[in-house]
Amino acid sequence: MSVILGIESSCDETSASVCIDGKIVANIIANQTIHELYGGVVPELASRVHQQNIVPAVHQAINVAKIHKKQIDAVAFTRGPGLLGSLLVGTCFAKAFALANNIPLIEVNHMQAHILAHFIEDPKPTFPFLCLTVSGGHTQIVLVKDYFDMEIVGETLDDAAGEAFDKTAKILGLPYPGGPLVDKHAKLGDPNRFKFPEPQIADLNFSFSGLKTAILYFVRDKVAENPNFLEQNMDDICASVQSRIISILLNKLKKAALQYGIKDVSIAGGVSANSGLRNSINAMAQTEGWNVFIPKFEYCTDNAAMIAIAGYYKFLKGDFAGQDVAPMARMPF
Ligand code: KG4
Ligand code: ZN
């Protein structure tokens, strides 16, 4: 039997999870609401709130899992990528916990963990599969050959898809974090009402900065003509922007699937919580003959369950980190 404690603290969610024999039995997520006041994550505040939340989150995870801390066999933590101060809190906690309990320490790459969230529950994809990983900081198409053998075959040249959602929301005057609010308005709007440009980027790469500028100028010009334009058209604007972001993402995913001859296709990361993206990828699966894998909602945005499951697969291989391991703001696969 193996009991793994997972710790996630790369951005603004403090999370602790317990994985017993590859099954997640607790996944506690403490959201930080303080950043709403500033319209974005303030790194210094994030690390301070992580410091307050980490011990209660771990206690709660252990209680929910109905285990004693002495039963834990290893502690897995997010080493990177992320905000350095935030990562430091989780890393220091994990190191101290491992040392105090004399158990191994396991480092996990946050972006790999988003992909390994597909192994929390059935049905699971089979290797090799493609994963479109879309979060607040990254947009990648990853060829997943094995649990820890992954190749990035396409990525964004500028903004991430989550940033495109959040910046759109900001331009529209919606509060932070804007992605889920754009999604909510989009459900009520007409996606064909306004046309936004699709960038012509080579290979399997993405670009979202042109779209952001197009939205900014569009809103500026329309509001100059009619000061109430935003309030009157919020649902249609959100639906139109969301539909363009989705078509940019899925056109490249389709290209990658054809290029690599792959039928098992998945999405991961915070933006995979988007209802429009979930519906559209399922529709594309019908025409392309794909098997599509989408993690449960709570495993899409940042969570420690994905860290614990990644930790479980590293535990099986005996792949442990030393006490000298340091967090990395930028971390390659
Ligand atoms: O993976 P994640 O929780 O954190 C990072 O590692 O970045 O992703 C956060 C991103 C944010 O940009 C947020 O606005 C976006 O995911 N997001 C969404 C939705 N839920 C979260 N974007 C669009 N629609 C959603 N429903
Ligand atoms: Zn993430």
Side-chain angles (χ1 to χ4, degrees), residues 300-320:
C300 286
T301 48
D302 287 348
N303 66 87
M306 67 187 195
I307 306 302
I309 199 82
Y312 167 70
Y313 286 107
K314 283 203 168 185
F315 183 81
L316 295 181
K317 294 200 309 170
D319 185 352
F320 304 133

Side-chain angles (χ1 to χ4, degrees), residues 8 10 110-111 114 135-136 269-270 300-302 306:
E8 156 63 29
S10 65
H110 181 88
M111 298 311 295
H114 269 303
S135 72
C300 286
T301 48
D302 287 348
M306 67 187 195

Side-chain angles (χ1 to χ4, degrees), residues 113-137:
H114 269 303
I115 297 171
L116 294 173
H118 288 104
F119 294 89
I120 294 176
E121 287 183 348
D122 289 330
K124 295 166 183 152
T126 47
F127 301 114
F129 65 91
L130 280 172
C131 187
L132 171 70
T133 318
V134 271
S135 72

